[in-house]
Amino acid sequence: DAGAVDAAMPDEGFGRRVAAGRAHSCALRDDGIWCWGGDGAGQLGLSPSGDRTRPERVELPPRAWRSVLAGAAHTCARDAAGAVWCWGRNDLGQLGQGDFEPRSGPVEVALPAPVAQLGVGENHACAILTNGQLHCWGHNYEGQLGLDDLFGAGDVPEPTRVGTESDWEQVDGHQGHSCGVRMQGTLHCWGRNTESQLGLGPSGPIQRRFPTPVPDARWLAASPGQSHSCGIDAAGALHCWGSNGSFQLGTGDREPRDVPTRTFEGPVVQLDTDTFHGCAVTPDEAMRCWGRNVEGQLGTGDLMDLRAPTEVGASVAWSEVATGRFHTCARSTDGRFFCTGENSEGRLGTGDTERRRDWTEVAFPDPR
């Protein structure tokens, strides 16, 4: 039943009620899914199309929605029964429709079983079904779909099973790589590895086109960035690896790491990373962020980078966070949404396009 499907792998534990893409954002509230910001490819799912500086509700089938996720210029949502709907850019097959035509409104993705957990990269997506299988679709140039050489470097516009395993529990992706956790807590990553973002050590190949185990540790979740990755181990500690020129690993320096490196003892219960920064929520409802802050995306009130995970937004009790390329949005425990950082196209939902350095509440319209 719907409750069992949702319990199989609750997206909510990985920040799926708030989403931040490259230039747009979305929120899942009790009254539906709302999106705002840039709409150059229909990623807001609104009619008429066009950028929005304030949230507008997406016209979706009347059902209970459980998660919303944003890619670079597309958006996907999962309902309580495990159905997945996507909309926006589709030039690389990222909507899973078997073609490369964009959609300005939500369309259902044909999957062989209900989806328990969904991960969306910049231009691809992966879904864990309730039977534990992993299926991916979209851009595949770097091998980020994990399909080995089944399709070469060609994009795959419809969901395709990855490997033969049926014990996947969590998956996520970013620009050129993806990572996932299997039932025994083993972490696997695949795709581009030019900056050691797969965590395979100093002798790792520059690309791996199939899920490859990351040595050591037991894991709960992973969140890939553009050229780095972060993850939560079984004890709740935060680890990061890969490129580090903007302090995106949170290690206190700019030195890259080729294997997972502990950066915060935690515990951490939810994590999201993007191009140059990351944020995590702790059990005491605090949020810590690190990395680049030139656009104000860390919400510290200034534009100084943070070298290590540092508490931000201390006046709010936080439940989830989502990082975009140059902005960040988060949800409070009382169901409010806040954003900070770059605000071109209105991606902060504040009714204007002015950059913010502090966490600013998203201006939803009054209930009718």
Side-chain angles (χ1 to χ4, degrees), residues 239-252:
H239 300 246
C240 295
W241 58 96
S243 62
N244 196 26
S246 297
F247 306 111
Q248 60 263 50
L249 300 188
T251 53

Side-chain angles (χ1 to χ4, degrees), residues 5 8-9 11 16 67 69 74 76-79 81-86 93-96 108-121 124-138 144-147 156 158-163 165-173 178-182 190 211:
V5 167
M9 181 58 224
D11 284 329
R16 306 311 193 188
S67 62
L69 305 95
H74 75 293
C76 294
R78 180 181 70 88
D79 68 21
V84 170
W85 296 65
C86 296
Q94 52 265 60
L95 300 188
E108 187 170 3
V109 180
L111 287 146
V115 172
Q117 195 258 323
L118 181 66
V120 170
H124 73 289
C126 291
I128 297 173
L129 309 185
T130 51
N131 59 17
Q133 295 179 6
L134 177 64
H135 291 245
C136 296
W137 63 92
Q144 57 263 59
L145 300 188
L147 301 174
V156 182
E158 57 189 358
T160 303
R161 187 175 180 183
V162 179
E165 297 81 10
S166 297
D167 61 351
W168 292 95
E169 289 198 330
Q170 188 265 339
V171 67
D172 204 1
S178 306
C179 292
V181 177
R182 292 173 59 189
W190 57 95

Side-chain angles (χ1 to χ4, degrees), residues 226 228 246-248 274-278 290-292 325-326:
Q226 178 172 284
H228 75 293
S246 297
F247 306 111
Q248 60 263 50
D274 204 272
T275 309
F276 302 115
H277 75 292
W290 60 94
R292 177 172 167 142
R325 185 172 176 84
F326 295 129

Side-chain angles (χ1 to χ4, degrees), residues 143-233:
Q144 57 263 59
L145 300 188
L147 301 174
D148 204 350
D149 285 324
L150 184 62
F151 297 92
D155 300 326
V156 182
E158 57 189 358
T160 303
R161 187 175 180 183
V162 179
T164 60
E165 297 81 10
S166 297
D167 61 351
W168 292 95
E169 289 198 330
Q170 188 265 339
V171 67
D172 204 1
H174 198 268
Q175 188 185 79
H177 72 295
S178 306
C179 292
V181 177
R182 292 173 59 189
M183 192 173 295
Q184 301 303 315
T186 56
L187 173 64
H188 294 67
C189 292
W190 57 95
R192 186 172 65 213
N193 194 40
T194 53
E195 305 289 339
S196 295
Q197 55 264 58
L198 302 188
L200 304 179
S203 60
I206 62 171
Q207 187 183 89
R208 189 51 67 90
R209 303 187 68 85
F210 53 88
T212 303
V214 178
D216 303 325
R218 318 284 296 173
W219 299 89
L220 296 177
S223 178
Q226 178 172 284
S227 298
H228 75 293
S229 304
C230 292
I232 305 171
D233 72 16

